Amino acid sequence: MRIAMFSTKPYDRRSFEAANDGHDIAYLEPRLAPETAPLAAGAQAICVFVNDVVSAPVLQALHAGGTRTVLLRCAGFNNVDLREAERLGIAVARVPAYSPHAVAEFTIGLLLSLVRGIHRAYQRTRDGNFALEGLLGFDLHGRTAGVIGTGKIGALVARALAAGFGCRVLAHDVRPDPELLALGVTYADPQRIAAESDIITLHCPLTPETHHIIRAETLALAKPGLILVNTSRGGLIDAEAAIEALKTGRLGGLAIDVYEQEADVFFEDLSNEILGDDLLARLLTFPNVLVTGHQAFFTRDALRAIAEVTLGNATLIEAARPLGASEVRAPAG
Ligand code: NAI
């Protein structure tokens, strides 16, 4: 299958080349957007990542160029207009689980760095500053952790917090996980989680229902000093409300690997440029904010699995065979 791959970075190319068993891949650097869609002309499939825009006009342009398949090399699919894809007869496939461990482990890493000031200690000691003032943290043991979304990633995080660190875990999901219940995790509504948690970590997908699930009203319920971690999707948090809560101390720390307006910034080296996003610039001024650039998935194991499953999906589609859990369909109704 001829595949036009958008937003390609050198590491994508390396992992896809290693896994490719006969597909004809054109590695393109630009992000998919209405103006770059014509680059896919003649390719039966496109391969995209989290910040490529697969909107209705883009799908129409792709369809006119002969594209009939969208291969997502990620788990989330909030960037695809699924109804339009269905209307045009364009198949959409994703990588349902390449390494939930990669994201869950990174989430715990962010949480520990933030709570114990490890990110600040790294900077300080390099500057010859070995003082501890300002680095006072707290034990995770015995604290209440709220986990919103207990699918593949959230369940691993909930398990690590409950069984590993000895936290009391409150969780919220539309489908509670019986194994977590057996571990002593309690399911609760988001309001109770906001009111009782010392830490909240987000692992639900971005949907119209979860957009800004953390906003001014949620933060107003929170215990002062709440630690918030988001490795899911930026749109789950209203960044302006988070900044206000950081200023008052209601939010005691924020670690984000995702940001609602990340598409214009993340995955690029902008160190020689002026940052145009005032909200992100403000977030980066807080000592208790830790920002990483959508890095949670980025392990060798995950890249290998992403390439293998994505190209496997292309092979299945070419052979008109069922995609199983990789298939993405528009919600009914
Ligand atoms: P998953 O599909 O296994 O789990 C998502 C869970 O959220 C499910 O249990 C689902 O029932 C639940 N959910 C759906 N709607 C909800 C709602 N309104 N309220 C509460 N829970 C709800 O997905 P997985 O693999 O655990 O991934 C979670 C998210 O992590 C993905 O949606 C993706 O956006 C993000 N992600 C981020 C990565 C990164 O590098 N930062 C990498 C991979 C995924």
Side-chain angles (χ1 to χ4, degrees):
M1 187 182 272
R2 181 158 174 78
I3 303 169
M5 186 158 146
F6 286 87
S7 301
T8 310
K9 297 289 181 199
Y11 46 81
D12 295 313
R13 190 180 181 129
R14 286 194 293 272
S15 58
F16 273 76
E17 284 294 277
N20 192 5
D21 55 358
H23 294 288
D24 173 13
I25 308 174
Y27 296 99
L28 308 170
E29 283 181 24
R31 186 147 57 93
L32 178 61
E35 54 281 6
T36 58
L39 292 172
Q44 291 106 304
I46 56 152
C47 178
V48 293
F49 197 47
V50 292
N51 291 327
D52 290 295
V53 178
V54 199
S55 60
V58 166
L59 285 164
Q60 288 153 15
L62 292 169
H63 186 267
T67 299
R68 296 292 180 268
T69 296
V70 172
L71 300 167
L72 288 155
R73 54 180 194 277
C74 54
F77 46 84
N78 51 286
N79 52 337
V80 184
D81 187 327
L82 294 175
R83 287 196 196 289
E84 188 63 8
E86 195 168 279
R87 193 185 73 75
L88 293 166
I90 294 179
V92 182
R94 66 174 180 137
V95 185
Y98 38 88
S99 175
H101 297 281
V103 184
E105 289 167 15
F106 193 82
T107 304
I108 297 292
L110 283 181
L111 175 63
L112 290 174
S113 295
L114 189 60
V115 167
R116 304 301 303 275
I118 297 170
H119 58 301
R120 299 187 66 205
Y122 173 82
Q123 300 279 10
R124 278 190 188 191
T125 54
R126 295 202 147 217
D127 198 31
N129 177 358
F130 299 93
L132 298 183
E133 190 63 42
L135 300 182
L136 192 63
F138 61 82
D139 293 10
L140 293 185
H141 183 84
R143 302 279 158 165
T144 300
V147 180
I148 302 201
T150 54
K152 290 176 285 296
I153 297 167
L156 288 170
V157 172
R159 191 173 285 274
L161 290 171
F165 291 103
C167 294
R168 167 181 171 246
V169 175
L170 295 177
H172 175 67
D173 197 300
V174 287
R175 278 177 293 144
D177 177 340
E179 286 185 24
L180 291 182
L181 285 168
L183 214 80
V185 170
T186 305
Y187 278 85
D189 59 41
Q191 288 71 24
R192 181 174 164 208
I193 291 182
E196 295 186 22
S197 298
D198 301 292
I199 298 151
I200 293 181
T201 179
L202 305 177
H203 302 286
C204 57
L206 177 61
T207 63
E209 296 82 60
T210 61
H211 181 250
H212 288 184
I213 195 167
I214 303 293
R215 52 183 181 273
E217 292 92 318
T218 338
L219 291 165
L221 297 172
K223 279 190 187 175
L226 171 72
I227 299 289
L228 180 60
V229 182
N230 186 11
T231 58
S232 186
R233 284 292 179 266
L236 298 177
I237 297 181
D238 176 348
E240 260 178 89
I243 288 170
E244 286 312 309
L246 283 160
K247 282 158 70 177
T248 62
R250 172 76 64 170
L251 202 49
L254 174 68
I256 51 173
D257 186 50
V258 286
Y259 169 64
E260 191 161 18
Q261 307 303 332
E262 71 179 49
D264 296 331
V265 182
F266 282 10
F267 307 120
E268 304 302 330
D269 177 2
L270 304 177
S271 55
N272 292 315
E273 295 180 29
I274 304 295
L275 190 55
D277 184 322
D278 288 352
L279 283 184
L280 182 57
R282 181 67 177 102
L283 282 172
L284 290 167
T285 65
F286 292 97
N288 52 349
V289 171
L290 177 48
V291 179
T292 50
H294 211 129
Q295 187 192 333
F297 75 100
F298 200 54
T299 64
R300 269 182 224 109
D301 316 77
L303 285 190
R304 190 183 323 111
I306 287 171
E308 287 173 0
V309 175
T310 305
L311 294 174
N313 288 340
T315 304
L316 288 173
I317 288 172
E318 212 168 23
R321 285 172 48 205
L323 279 171
S326 294
E327 182 173 5
V328 187
R329 286 185 156 277

